[in-house]
Amino acid sequence: MRVAITGVAGFIGANLAGKLVEAGVSVSGIDNLSYGLKENVPSGVEFHEKDIRDSGLGELFKGADVVFHLAAKNCISDCQSDPVETASINVAGTVNVFEAARLAQVRKVIYAESSALYEGISQFPTPESDVQPESFYAVSKLAGMHFAEAYKRYFGMTFTALRYFCVYGPVQDYRRTIPPVMSAFIIKLLKGEQPVIYGSGRKRRDFVYVDDINEFHMKCLTDSRTDNRTFNLGSGRNISVLEIYEAISEILGVSIEPLFKPDLPGEAQETLADISEAKSVGWKPRTDLETGLQNAISYIKGEMDKGRI
Ligand SMILES: NC(=O)c1ccc[n+]([C@@H]2O[C@H](COP(=O)([O-])OP(=O)(O)OC[C@H]3O[C@@H](n4cnc5c(N)ncnc54)[C@H](O)[C@@H]3O)[C@@H](O)[C@H]2O)c1
């Protein structure tokens, strides 16, 4: 089997590529390295530094059975400050990927939506049935969803849409201005500095470990029950930001008061996945929070030892 991945130098893409190479799958990947790093791309992957908006993607996808489309501008605050670039990458870029997959006669496209599609919904746990995006990021993901529907309708293409909740684990990008909450806490606490909590810390998030979603990715390759369906990928449990803070502090054996700052724009107060749909095809998240956190901490410590942080 041959698989192509967009966003292969990013967090989820690099983890997925590693898993596929381990399983003996032939993997190629593209990334423009705007957020991701080339060193994240596992050896054995044929890497092309390319933007998803470029022409000629069809050539790169030739011979691929499946395309995972993961590349996106995906930091909510970055998207809020640049809606034009957000639409250019997440909408026009996504359509360019779908079109290239069509031209290359790829059997299936598996692409990333997001739990951000549920921003305005207050039904918890949240099923896949209704969406109410609010932020520019979420709206751009909704546009991708509609384009996938149209490609199915007019060209009979096969898609699987993945609505990731808060994925965490090794290789998660910690370099951005406002890093994902777990990485941000781990780095500051390891340095003995005061981490920042935006808002009251009562926002609740459904965290899911990256190896667990990789199990679902692998299932999508071969299990036809995943064809033309949409799946929430979360753990089905949520935890407040303050509770995460306490859990990380406890594992690290430190006690530092966080610094509270005003809430960030465009962020939902709560996320909690209804994962019955994913369970119905035989998947379940297996990694408990403590094990996942230990692995995330080991990764950050490794980066510190290499002098990268
Ligand atoms: N990580 C999460 O918790 C989460 C949650 C919901 C949805 N998602 C979605 O999953 C996907 C992967 O997320 P991630 O956490 O790995 O993000 P990431 O930022 O680590 O990876 C995305 C990659 O896409 C690349 N990229 C961005 N714009 C590009 C462009 N124009 N052309 C080519 N490459 C480009 C970046 O350089 C980066 O390497 C994204 O679509 C994201 O929106 C992630």
Side-chain angles (χ1 to χ4, degrees):
M1 181 175 301
R2 297 187 63 183
V3 169
I5 303 173
T6 73
V8 72
F11 164 47
I12 297 176
N15 273 287
L16 167 63
K19 185 90 183 167
L20 290 169
V21 169
E22 246 174 58
V25 175
S26 156
V27 185
S28 64
I30 67 165
D31 202 297
N32 69 353
L33 304 181
S34 54
Y35 285 93
L37 294 177
K38 196 166 172 207
E39 70 211 38
N40 288 344
V41 181
S43 60
V45 174
E46 181 192 312
F47 177 68
H48 301 271
E49 186 175 336
K50 205 159 175 64
D51 196 291
I52 53 167
R53 293 163 291 182
D54 289 352
S55 58
L57 283 192
E59 276 303 305
L60 290 180
F61 291 167
K62 239 182 202 153
D65 300 290
V66 171
V67 168
F68 279 92
H69 173 43
L70 303 176
K73 188 174 180 72
N74 73 357
C75 173
I76 289 190
S77 52
D78 286 0
C79 292
Q80 286 304 106
S81 53
D82 198 345
V84 174
E85 176 84 346
T86 302
S88 169
I89 297 172
N90 295 0
V91 185
T94 291
V95 178
N96 199 38
V97 169
F98 292 170
E99 181 65 10
R102 178 179 81 82
L103 293 173
Q105 297 183 312
V106 167
R107 178 172 63 76
K108 182 171 181 175
V109 179
I110 299 157
Y111 74 98
E113 290 185 3
S114 169
S115 61
L117 287 173
Y118 305 128
E119 280 165 344
I121 288 181
S122 47
Q123 180 189 346
F124 303 111
T126 313
E128 289 87 349
S129 45
D130 289 322
V131 293
Q132 208 175 309
E134 291 177 350
S135 66
F136 291 116
Y137 166 70
V139 168
S140 73
K141 289 285 182 184
L142 183 71
M145 178 186 101
H146 285 303
F147 272 96
E149 291 299 331
Y151 269 94
K152 272 188 235 170
R153 188 177 312 127
Y154 294 113
F155 297 113
M157 285 171 68
T158 303
F159 288 86
T160 303
L162 304 179
R163 289 194 187 145
Y164 303 125
F165 279 63
C166 288
V167 187
Y168 74 102
V171 194
Q172 181 153 41
D173 182 15
Y174 54 78
R175 293 170 180 83
R176 51 192 70 182
T177 332
I178 300 175
V181 63
M182 282 188 182
S183 309
F185 289 170
I186 295 167
I187 291 172
K188 288 285 187 183
L189 290 173
L190 281 171
K191 285 182 168 176
E193 295 171 4
Q194 207 180 13
V196 175
I197 291 182
Y198 295 94
S200 66
R202 288 192 191 86
K203 270 188 284 197
R204 300 185 73 81
R205 289 285 174 271
D206 182 328
F207 286 97
V208 60
Y209 190 64
V210 67
D211 283 354
D212 290 335
I213 64 158
N214 264 337
E215 284 190 13
F216 198 84
H217 291 147
M218 298 308 277
K219 183 177 270 305
C220 288
L221 291 181
T222 51
D223 190 332
S224 60
R225 289 176 300 171
T226 62
D227 289 358
N228 293 324
R229 284 173 72 179
T230 299
F231 296 95
N232 282 342
L233 293 182
S235 62
R237 300 173 65 181
N238 67 12
I239 175 172
S240 75
V241 171
L242 276 173
E243 285 165 336
I244 303 157
Y245 188 76
E246 280 157 17
I248 295 172
S249 300
E250 202 176 306
I251 294 174
L252 294 177
V254 293
S255 169
I256 301 174
E257 274 301 304
L259 179 65
F260 288 92
K261 287 197 175 175
D263 216 343
L264 295 168
E267 295 233 326
Q269 286 309 306
E270 178 162 359
T271 65
L272 178 61
D274 178 338
I275 52 173
S276 7
E277 199 70 4
K279 281 182 167 170
S280 76
V281 294
W283 174 83
K284 66 169 191 237
R286 290 201 278 202
T287 312
D288 62 81
L289 188 69
E290 176 156 4
T291 310
L293 278 178
Q294 295 277 13
N295 294 345
I297 290 169
S298 301
Y299 169 72
I300 297 280
K301 280 185 175 163
E303 293 292 283
M304 284 181 153
D305 291 345
K306 289 176 195 151
R308 290 177 178 158
I309 298 176

